[in-house]
Amino acid sequence: MTEHAAFEIEERDAVYRAIATRRDVRRGFLDKPLPDDLIHRLLSAAHSAPSVGLMQPSRFILVRDHGIRRAVHAAFLQANEQALATYAGERREQYASLKLEAILEAPQNLCVLSNLQSERGHQLGRHTMPETAIYSTVCAIQNLWLAARAEGVGVGWVSILDPARLGEILHIPANVVPVGYLCLGYVDRFATEPELERYGWEIRIPLEQVVSYDIYRPEHEPRNAEATKP
Ligand SMILES: Cc1cc2nc3c(=O)[nH]c(=O)nc-3n(C[C@H](O)[C@H](O)[C@H](O)COP(=O)(O)O)c2cc1C
């Protein structure tokens, strides 16, 4: 079976629109549960992602139990406290003021994991780059993130968690790695810029600064917001 190569213009624009207007969302979730069929569509989008050797290593835990969510939230608070301690001065104050998760407010939590020892795919593509199993799961998360945007569902990725602690809470075996802990829910609107940009933590860099020709050019390496201040 084959499909026509290019999309119709409106379909193509819709894909780019989802990509351009996707945001990491951690506030403003509506108090409205996500219907099961919608969750199924989002998980199908994730499960359709490319994977190394067709390994399909991604696994999904829909976290609904409030006790478990509270435990994950407590783990976040602990990890966030440790992260805060690594900053000083103005940065520290700024970090402390950021909202970096929505574990308890979002109607749905989802942990996306990668089974590194799945035998599927017969090791194709992983001999020299075993980390491609995790890359495959990142692709799955991005698919879900874009599908969620089209559905009016905000997604916030929480990585301020100790994976070992998360593993204890969610009973994750050693061969399975938690890649993303996601907070999901309907939102009214999506911000036009990343929240970290709006609150002055970091700014986006133009595409031209990250493209080079033929060889890598370290002199083009973009600096962070402080370094680029006049
Ligand atoms: C791997 C990964 C981990 C992230 N972890 C966090 C996190 O722990 N807390 C948070 O608030 N945002 C987190 N984010 C969201 C980023 O801050 C966000 O993607 C970035 O600021 C750009 O904003 P945008 O996604 O709205 O374009 C994470 C994003 C990625 C890709």
Side-chain angles (χ1 to χ4, degrees):
M1 293 279 281
T2 59
E3 283 229 6
H4 281 302
F7 285 7
E8 297 298 331
I9 287 178
E10 304 81 55
E11 296 172 326
R12 186 199 64 188
D13 288 352
V15 173
Y16 283 117
R17 181 172 167 223
I19 292 168
T21 63
R22 179 213 52 78
R23 287 274 77 83
D24 187 87
V25 178
R26 48 256 193 200
R27 60 176 100 225
F29 289 107
L30 306 180
D31 187 16
K32 186 173 149 193
L34 298 182
D36 286 347
D37 58 337
L38 173 118
I39 292 177
H40 185 259
R41 285 197 296 279
L42 297 183
L43 293 177
S44 294
H47 190 58
S48 307
S51 64
V52 64
L54 194 51
M55 180 191 185
Q56 295 188 287
S58 302
R59 307 289 179 260
F60 306 92
I61 304 176
L62 289 159
V63 182
R64 292 189 160 145
D65 183 276
H66 281 275
I68 294 181
R69 282 167 61 155
R70 277 195 298 276
V72 175
H73 186 249
F76 162 81
L77 290 177
Q78 197 181 12
N80 202 39
E81 201 60 44
Q82 286 166 4
L84 176 67
T86 66
Y87 298 104
E90 233 179 87
R91 266 281 155 205
R92 186 188 167 93
E93 275 174 41
Q94 200 182 22
Y95 185 89
S97 71
L98 294 171
K99 169 130 179 68
L100 298 170
E101 55 77 40
I103 296 164
L104 298 178
E105 313 91 281
Q108 181 68 59
N109 284 196
L110 172 69
C111 186
V112 186
L113 315 104
S114 203
N115 182 353
L116 306 186
Q117 271 161 34
S118 165
E119 291 163 359
R120 303 193 56 82
H122 311 284
Q123 294 290 326
L124 191 153
R126 281 189 292 138
H127 293 285
T128 51
M129 294 183 120
E131 63 276 23
T132 45
I134 292 178
Y135 299 167
S136 303
T137 297
V138 175
C139 292
I141 295 174
Q142 180 70 350
N143 264 16
L144 180 144
W145 213 338
L146 293 173
R149 174 63 190 88
E151 300 269 11
V153 171
V155 176
W157 185 326
V158 189
S159 56
I160 307 164
L161 289 166
D162 172 14
R165 179 68 197 119
L166 191 61
E168 284 167 9
I169 298 168
L170 300 180
H171 297 202
I172 303 169
N175 56 305
V176 178
V177 174
V179 179
Y181 192 90
L182 309 179
C183 306
L184 291 87
Y186 282 116
V187 285
D188 270 339
R189 47 187 42 248
F190 288 84
T192 49
E193 67 285 325
E195 188 154 330
L196 292 186
E197 196 167 62
R198 192 151 18 112
Y199 290 95
W201 181 263
E202 190 52 279
I203 51 171
R204 281 175 288 182
I205 46 176
L207 173 64
E208 303 78 70
Q209 284 189 22
V210 294
V211 179
S212 65
Y213 294 92
D214 302 322
I215 58 165
Y216 186 78
R217 306 219 180 247
E219 68 274 21
H220 289 175
E221 188 52 35
R223 317 282 300 278
N224 66 26
E226 269 117 27
T228 52
K229 266 187 201 155

